[in-house]
Amino acid sequence: MKVMYKTLATIPIFLALFSCTKEELSPTPCYGDCETSYEVIYKNQLITPNGDGYYEVEWDEIDYFQVSGYLTPLNDEYVLNGIPLIEARFDSDYWVALDSLTFQTPMYSYLGWFNDNTLNDPVSIGNYTITLIDLIDLHPPLNVVGYQIPRYFDVDHPAAYTLLGTSSKYNYQPTQNIFLDNEMIGDTVNIFIETQFNTDFGKTETIEDEINVIIL
């Protein structure tokens, strides 16, 4: 805490007790270090990762599994009326098109397909090769975390980045349902999570996590 004192010589010394003070915000947005912990749940059962750190979900006609998190609480400066200014954003490299046709795009972070300018990279779908841009215009694909790119979406729009993805806001236990079906058996779904501690002014911190799920 930084305290500034200002007094005038003509004012009695006891008035110095009422000098102006300025408080700095905490050095981090969290109590201690900002940390995240995410887990995979299927059929209301916690899935334990295997020796390689991959989660294994055995398809059992339930068409989704969950990714649930536990986040470090924020300092009081970043909690307004009991609501923490925190957000977890979810993305995946796994897409579904034309109901049962699935494909993956190379990506390594939240909205990585968008940020890494891979929109025009060729994607193999069955016996065909097509770009994600082409597919958006033909049949908007569904990302398994729950968002769809609208047809004729303007990827060059300055605000395009803010219009995509799914998120869980204002709580310390974010949960996202991930689409699942039998067409995905044998595949690995990579889920990318970007957690932002304090989404307003002041100190902020962002943590990126990746969860790899094998569908059996």
Side-chain angles (χ1 to χ4, degrees):
M1 178 182 295
K2 179 180 180 182
V3 182
M4 300 175 61
Y5 295 97
K6 181 174 67 176
T7 62
L8 297 176
T10 58
I11 298 178
I13 190 64
F14 69 88
L15 290 181
L17 297 174
F18 300 94
S19 59
C20 298
T21 62
K22 179 180 179 181
E23 294 186 1
E24 290 186 348
L25 294 176
S26 302
T28 68
C30 302
Y31 284 114
D33 294 333
C34 294
E35 296 181 340
T36 63
S37 176
Y38 287 96
E39 58 191 20
V40 174
I41 300 170
Y42 185 54
K43 298 169 53 180
N44 294 321
Q45 296 183 357
L46 180 65
I47 306 299
T48 302
N50 63 23
D52 295 321
Y54 285 74
Y55 296 85
E56 298 178 349
V57 170
E58 186 173 354
W59 160 254
D60 192 22
E61 298 186 357
I62 304 297
D63 61 0
Y64 71 94
F65 63 89
Q66 293 179 312
V67 173
S68 184
Y70 298 90
L71 312 179
T72 303
L74 295 173
N75 281 305
D76 291 341
E77 294 95 330
Y78 307 110
V79 179
L80 301 181
N81 298 321
I83 300 175
L85 303 178
I86 197 167
E87 179 177 3
R89 311 177 185 104
F90 297 85
D91 196 15
S92 172
D93 64 346
Y94 205 98
W95 303 81
V96 179
L98 303 173
D99 296 330
S100 61
L101 190 62
T102 63
F103 66 97
Q104 290 180 276
T105 51
M107 52 192 284
Y108 309 97
S109 63
Y110 173 77
L111 289 185
W113 59 270
F114 186 86
N115 296 331
D116 297 338
N117 296 318
T118 58
L119 293 169
N120 288 305
D121 287 358
V123 176
S124 296
I125 303 178
N127 295 324
Y128 301 95
T129 299
I130 194 171
T131 68
L132 192 54
I133 285 290
D134 294 333
L135 190 59
I136 291 171
D137 292 341
L138 291 173
H139 191 284
L142 170 71
N143 191 286
V144 293
V145 301
Y147 72 90
Q148 191 169 32
I149 307 175
R151 181 171 291 177
Y152 309 122
F153 180 71
D154 183 5
V155 297
D156 296 319
H157 191 283
Y161 178 86
T162 66
L163 303 176
L164 299 170
T166 57
S167 65
S168 177
K169 299 181 179 181
Y170 312 131
N171 70 88
Y172 294 123
Q173 295 183 356
T175 299
Q176 182 65 45
N177 291 345
I178 312 298
F179 176 80
L180 176 67
D181 72 6
N182 59 347
E183 298 290 338
M184 301 166 65
I185 294 176
D187 293 342
T188 299
V189 179
N190 301 305
I191 300 166
F192 307 96
I193 310 167
E194 183 180 82
T195 306
Q196 184 176 353
F197 296 85
N198 180 31
T199 56
D200 205 344
F201 297 106
K203 299 290 184 181
T204 186
E205 185 170 336
T206 300
I207 296 179
E208 295 184 350
D209 291 282
E210 180 178 345
I211 292 179
N212 312 108
V213 181
I214 301 172
I215 313 302
L216 302 177

